[in-house]
Amino acid sequence: MDGTTLGTVLAAVAGLVGSGVVWIGKRGENGVSRFNSVTDQIQEDNATLREQLSKRDELIGVLQDRRSTDIETITKLRIKVIQLGGDPDQ
């Protein structure tokens, strides 16, 4: 084999290897892009869920206040019924 043929064969092999490296690199790049996209989506969902959780906690606070007020009102009414001579359990 002379030098020209050997050079041509080596160039062809290098081209094939280079193509393989580019293909593998592009697959890795696509994988990283997909991973970043999924991570971004998870962070957006997490922010939305945190907001919903905050609103839920505020609503729970309001409902607890209402419950306390209702219990106080019921207790006052039971006392009034007893004072008027009735049975509050009927």
Side-chain angles (χ1 to χ4, degrees):
M1 222 188 222
D2 63 350
T4 305
T5 306
L6 183 60
T8 303
V9 169
L10 288 176
V13 169
L16 290 173
V17 170
S19 295
V21 168
V22 168
W23 181 73
I24 290 170
K26 190 63 177 172
R27 286 181 51 93
E29 180 183 335
N30 289 343
V32 169
S33 295
R34 260 183 309 220
F35 178 76
N36 287 339
S37 176
V38 168
T39 302
D40 291 342
Q41 184 63 40
I42 288 171
Q43 288 175 343
E44 290 174 13
D45 290 347
N46 192 12
T48 302
L49 290 174
R50 284 182 193 271
E51 183 179 325
Q52 289 175 353
L53 187 61
S54 175
K55 288 179 181 178
R56 188 206 65 183
D57 288 344
E58 289 176 19
L59 180 59
I60 287 173
V62 168
L63 292 174
Q64 286 175 336
D65 290 343
R66 286 183 188 172
R67 181 177 183 268
S68 296
T69 303
D70 289 346
I71 289 173
E72 182 181 337
T73 303
I74 289 169
T75 303
K76 287 179 182 178
L77 290 172
R78 289 175 66 89
I79 291 170
K80 188 69 170 177
V81 168
I82 291 170
Q83 287 174 347
L84 293 173
D87 184 10
D89 294 325
Q90 285 186 346

